[in-house]
Amino acid sequence: MAQVYERVALIGLGLIASSIFWASKRRDLAGEIVGYARSAETRETAREIGLCDVVYDDINEAVRDADLVILCVPVGVMGQVMEQIAGSLKQGATVTDVGSVKRDVIDNVTPHLPKGVEFIAGHPLAGTEHSGPRSGFAELFDNRWCLLVPIEGSDPDAIARLRGFWEGLGSNVEEMDADHHDLVLAVTSHAPHLIAYTMVGVADDLRRVTDGEVIKYSAGGFRDFTRIAASDPTMWRDVFLSNKDATLEILGRFTEELFALQRAIRQGDGDHLFDYFTRTREVRRSIIEAGQDTDEPDFGRGSGGTKS
Ligand code: NAP
């Protein structure tokens, strides 16, 4: 595939940045990919494993001649990082991000945006519960959606170029409005994560009275919750604090449905439960038909293994 940008700078070198690097190298999407991470430890690891053509100790050096700068840090620090790099950005450059929340990131980043630099927010809907520079892999974005959220006045050519870059990384790209993005993600990702964190927390409390039985006999349902609940605490703290309204709205709906199911169980209303579970099974079928998960039993894990 043809080169899309001459020089790309990755700010933050964790799961998403390292996956962008390996996916980009697979198709030669950039002439050079440089990077910066906050801690010396992460920068050292990146150098050791060949993550980035050059790893800089100085964030401003990293972005200086970049045509595309990708902010791959937790959503709570996006604005602060943009403020730090604003003075070093090249005229005509595009800045984008990969944060899981969009309205809050746009509100915090755009006040620092210099004239002559584009900001186009983005969010690849792909990830794992692993984090850090060693966790990325080239296939992470294959056949996954990447949502681009242009801001008012975004240059159509810059959007088209960024779209081409994400398509080169393997993604299907669509544009979406920031508030709608945050509501959709509250339903599909943020609320489910909070519910998983809660369920594992409850089971952890129970474990103390059942002497390790929750772990010992952990079967499909609980084990799947623990995978999600192992996700990075910093990232997810920031997601909930930044997408407060949409998450609270969905959790309100969740609580109502939970009460309805609780009542159905108490009253022995089997029809209600059966109809409800039939509807949810359809949702699973649609996800498989859309190619967004495998139809294999137990997610294709085989006996006892785990999916990355
Ligand atoms: P990660 O593996 O934890 O990496 C985060 C990186 O950000 C690390 O290199 C870290 O540096 C750096 N960082 C943290 N705080 C910083 C600060 N105050 N200033 C500068 N750098 C800082 O995280 P990730 O999973 O790649 O997530 C990155 C972004 O992608 C987040 O906004 C997240 O919402 C979004 N996202 C994540 C997923 C997912 O499933 N993980 C999916 C889609 C989008 P050190 O290593 O030096 O601490």
Side-chain angles (χ1 to χ4, degrees), residues 57-174:
D57 291 329
D58 180 326
I59 193 169
N60 289 290
E61 285 296 309
V63 302
R64 205 168 295 284
D65 288 314
D67 304 291
L68 176 69
V69 176
I70 312 180
L71 308 180
C72 305
V73 296
V75 289
V77 293
M78 292 281 185
Q80 188 184 310
V81 168
M82 184 66 193
E83 185 177 14
Q84 253 182 301
I85 61 174
S88 306
L89 294 167
K90 178 169 130 175
Q91 280 294 296
T94 293
V95 178
T96 186
D97 76 301
V98 296
S100 307
V101 178
K102 297 277 59 99
R103 171 59 60 204
D104 190 76
V105 168
I106 291 172
D107 288 351
N108 287 310
V109 163
T110 49
H112 307 294
L113 192 67
K115 271 207 163 59
V117 174
E118 291 286 330
F119 179 68
I120 303 163
H123 180 201
L125 306 190
T128 75
E129 67 280 22
H130 299 293
S131 52
R134 293 184 194 273
S135 58
F137 52 97
E139 299 77 21
L140 180 66
F141 309 113
D142 286 351
N143 200 29
R144 296 277 168 255
W145 288 101
C146 178
L147 300 176
L148 293 184
V149 182
I151 56 171
E152 212 183 303
S154 286
D155 173 26
D157 289 344
I159 300 171
R161 208 166 162 199
L162 185 60
R163 171 187 278 270
F165 183 72
W166 275 105
E167 285 171 351
L169 294 175
S171 289
N172 306 316
V173 179
E174 231 163 55

Side-chain angles (χ1 to χ4, degrees), residues 11 23 26 40 50 55-56 67 86 95 106 118 127 135 159 176 215 234 236 286 294:
I11 304 302
R26 185 175 64 163
V55 176
Y56 287 91
D67 304 291
V95 178
I106 291 172
E118 291 286 330
S135 58
I159 300 171
M176 200 179 265
I215 299 293
T234 305
W236 284 97
S286 314
T294 172

